Amino acid sequence: MDRLVIEGGHPLVGRVRVSGAKNATLPLMCATLLGSGRSHLRNVPDLRDVRTMGKLLGVLGARVDAKGDELFIDTVGAEGVEAPYDLVKTMRASVVCLGPLVAKRGQARVSLPGGCAIGERPIDQHLKGLSAMGAKIELTGGYVVASAKRLKGADITMDLVTVTGTENLMMAAVLAKGTTTLRNAAREPEVMDLARALNAAGARISGVGTATIVIKGVDEMGPLDHAVMADRIEAGTYMVAAGITRGELTIAEAPLEHLTAVVGKLKEAGLRFQQTPKGVVVSARRAPRPVHVITGPYPGFPTDMQAQIMALMALSTGSSVIQETIFENRLMHTSELRRLGASIEVTGSTAVVKGARRLHGAPVMATDLRASACLVLAALAAEGTTYIGRVYHLDRGYERIDQKLIAAGASIHREPEPKAQG
Ligand code: EPZ
């Protein structure tokens, strides 16, 4: 396993370019299963999770070719219906192949994803919706076994807002007989990007971006031909990097229209934003002001940016309150931030972060994707050297983050983790 070695204290100055969105790419790859043809995805990020999803599609019979930031996925003749545990356990997003498989092939055998570091993360809403559309659902041996001759349209009200739940059911409904209404649907931009690609390939989806999505079933779908939207969470992470190092970063391709809650909070904290033809310039000259953050479904403050803004608040001029409302266990990065000198009190899912004048480098360990990003951000500002272990978490969701940061003046290198002593 590798670790990142970061020497802090260098203000980031320069330009970074945002890659395609991981959380749009993964469902888009599964959406190719709805058609029988050769789909073409562009602006695809070079991520571990994308490669894992490519392997899963291969197991399902598709032929996947990557050429730079383009993916070609040929599903002609693909008949596989099983998403195996050894793949699903490494990437929960595999579960979004369930809807397309049942819709297109009439059956699916998908390993239950199991919980993960940030929470139990059940898929009951996915299964409730598929049952409502007439699928027979069984749970056997850690697998969801779903089957339906042909799904039928249904009026489904989800008990809670779920991003991949909305995506799974929207994709299943595309080939169902009749009309499906999804109520209390997720409004995330990644859901909208998926719907845009599906409609361009023959689907009839409306209402995306609102809480009520209507899908008129069609008999068949063509291949996808779509450019993936920019990654709003990657963009937000680099905005914090500019602020925490008191530098000045030009962030190209940042989807500002999908970052209003994040930009609003960062402006409250004192970061400066300037739109230029080359991208948005984000800068800070002094310590950030404290803010109060409550995460929520889009367009609220994204839970995927909670750890990153906590790193910034660890160096603020006062006390901040950060409430995590989406996942029951997404504050584990606080213990690692404390090792760097942060002062954070956690009660339930609320963290009170008392700004410190400085942080100090130390060995820390990443526990999940966004926690690792938070530790990189804190390390960039800390005095001295920080060692971040288990950096594979980072590679799941950030394309070449070390190279992008080095190009903006960070002192980072990657090396194998030393063998444990004794
Ligand atoms: C998506 O996960 C994202 N992943 C997550 O990003 C993101 O944090 C999350 O949405 C929230 O925005 C992808 O899009 C691949 P949910 P998802 O279903 O769909 C509960 C990252 O860092 N729930 O919206 O799995 C669930 O436990 C990742 O890029 C049920 O109870 O999240 C959670 O508490 C992490 N039953 C809440 O709802 C269900 O059937 C929201 O989960 C489904 C969800």
Side-chain angles (χ1 to χ4, degrees):
M1 277 198 260
D2 281 351
R3 70 177 182 181
L4 284 185
V5 182
I6 300 178
E7 188 205 314
H10 305 276
L12 292 187
V13 179
R15 181 175 181 277
V16 290
R17 182 183 174 282
V18 176
S19 305
K22 166 178 87 80
N23 290 348
T25 302
L26 298 175
L28 282 164
M29 291 174 74
C30 289
T32 65
L33 297 167
L34 288 167
S36 171
R38 190 166 189 255
S39 293
H40 181 195
L41 296 178
R42 296 182 299 284
N43 196 35
V44 175
D46 177 17
L47 300 173
R48 188 190 170 94
D49 273 6
V50 172
R51 292 190 288 277
T52 303
M53 187 60 87
K55 280 190 204 130
L56 174 57
L57 293 179
V59 164
L60 294 170
R63 281 165 302 290
V64 182
D65 295 303
K67 288 188 182 60
D69 71 347
E70 301 191 50
L71 263 189
F72 297 88
I73 301 169
D74 189 336
T75 56
V76 175
E79 290 168 357
V81 294
E82 174 158 334
Y85 176 63
D86 63 325
L87 274 179
V88 175
K89 73 172 187 264
T90 66
M91 183 184 63
R92 300 180 36 77
S94 314
V95 75
V96 290
C97 73
L98 182 60
L101 285 174
V102 181
K104 176 68 179 167
R105 299 179 191 175
Q107 56 177 314
R109 208 175 116 75
V110 176
S111 166
L112 276 168
C116 72
I118 63 178
E120 169 58 28
R121 300 180 73 183
I123 58 167
D124 55 298
Q125 300 298 311
H126 303 232
L127 304 181
K128 171 185 153 187
L130 287 173
S131 303
M133 288 195 247
K136 182 165 166 286
I137 306 275
E138 284 173 282
L139 300 183
T140 50
Y143 278 75
V144 174
V145 181
S147 59
K149 264 182 78 57
R150 182 174 186 186
L151 294 172
K152 56 185 190 316
D155 192 322
I156 301 163
T157 299
M158 286 181 272
D159 300 339
L160 46 83
V161 175
T162 158
V163 175
T164 50
T166 301
E167 291 166 344
N168 235 339
L169 298 179
M170 184 167 77
M171 288 192 277
V174 160
L175 289 178
K177 186 164 179 51
T179 297
T180 297
T181 302
L182 294 181
R183 300 181 197 278
N184 200 16
R187 299 162 53 188
E188 269 68 5
E190 293 74 22
V191 178
M192 295 167 72
D193 206 39
L194 175 63
R196 260 194 295 278
L198 289 168
N199 281 341
R204 297 172 62 196
I205 304 170
S206 56
V208 173
T210 74
T212 304
I213 301 177
V214 179
I215 306 106
K216 289 191 171 59
V218 295
D219 293 333
E220 67 177 299
M221 282 286 288
L224 299 191
D225 182 358
H226 185 71
V228 179
M229 63 181 281
D231 192 317
R232 59 194 168 100
I233 304 302
E234 184 193 15
T237 304
Y238 286 116
M239 289 175 183
V240 173
I244 204 168
T245 60
R246 300 193 202 168
E248 181 172 294
L249 272 185
T250 300
I251 304 174
E253 310 293 333
L256 292 180
E257 68 281 14
H258 300 149
L259 279 164
T260 49
V262 172
V263 171
K265 274 302 157 193
L266 294 179
K267 280 182 175 170
E268 244 183 79
L271 273 65
R272 297 182 20 225
F273 290 76
Q274 197 195 352
Q275 282 277 38
T276 75
K278 291 199 170 69
V280 61
V281 180
V282 186
S283 59
R285 291 278 173 275
R286 60 181 68 82
R289 293 190 289 267
V291 293
H292 184 170
V293 172
I294 306 175
T295 65
Y298 191 87
F301 191 94
T303 173
D304 291 349
M305 278 297 301
Q306 178 258 105
Q308 295 92 310
I309 201 162
M310 188 183 290
L312 182 67
M313 288 301 113
L315 284 166
S316 84
T317 54
S319 264
S320 302
V321 177
I322 298 179
Q323 290 173 257
E324 171 56 54
T325 70
I326 304 287
F327 291 108
E328 68 270 25
N329 187 29
R330 201 176 199 177
L331 291 173
M332 284 169 302
H333 41 280
T334 50
S335 49
E336 297 304 297
L337 280 175
R338 285 194 201 99
R339 290 176 51 75
L340 301 176
S343 167
I344 307 172
E345 292 297 321
V346 173
T347 313
S349 279
T350 297
V352 177
V353 184
K354 194 165 160 306
R357 286 182 57 76
R358 59 179 63 81
L359 296 175
H360 303 280
V364 288
M365 192 169 68
T367 51
D368 67 85
L369 168 56
R370 305 305 173 183
S372 6
C374 151
L375 294 174
V376 169
L377 294 168
L380 289 170
E383 289 183 356
T385 304
T386 300
Y387 302 85
I388 304 178
R390 300 192 175 177
V391 81
Y392 62 85
H393 285 296
L394 206 53
D395 295 335
R396 296 190 51 180
Y398 286 95
E399 181 181 89
R400 293 190 286 280
I401 188 170
D402 30 354
Q403 285 103 309
K404 289 188 180 182
L405 289 171
I406 290 167
S411 164
I412 297 183
H413 71 270
R414 192 181 277 251
E415 62 182 30
E417 284 197 73
K419 294 271 173 290
Q421 305 303 327

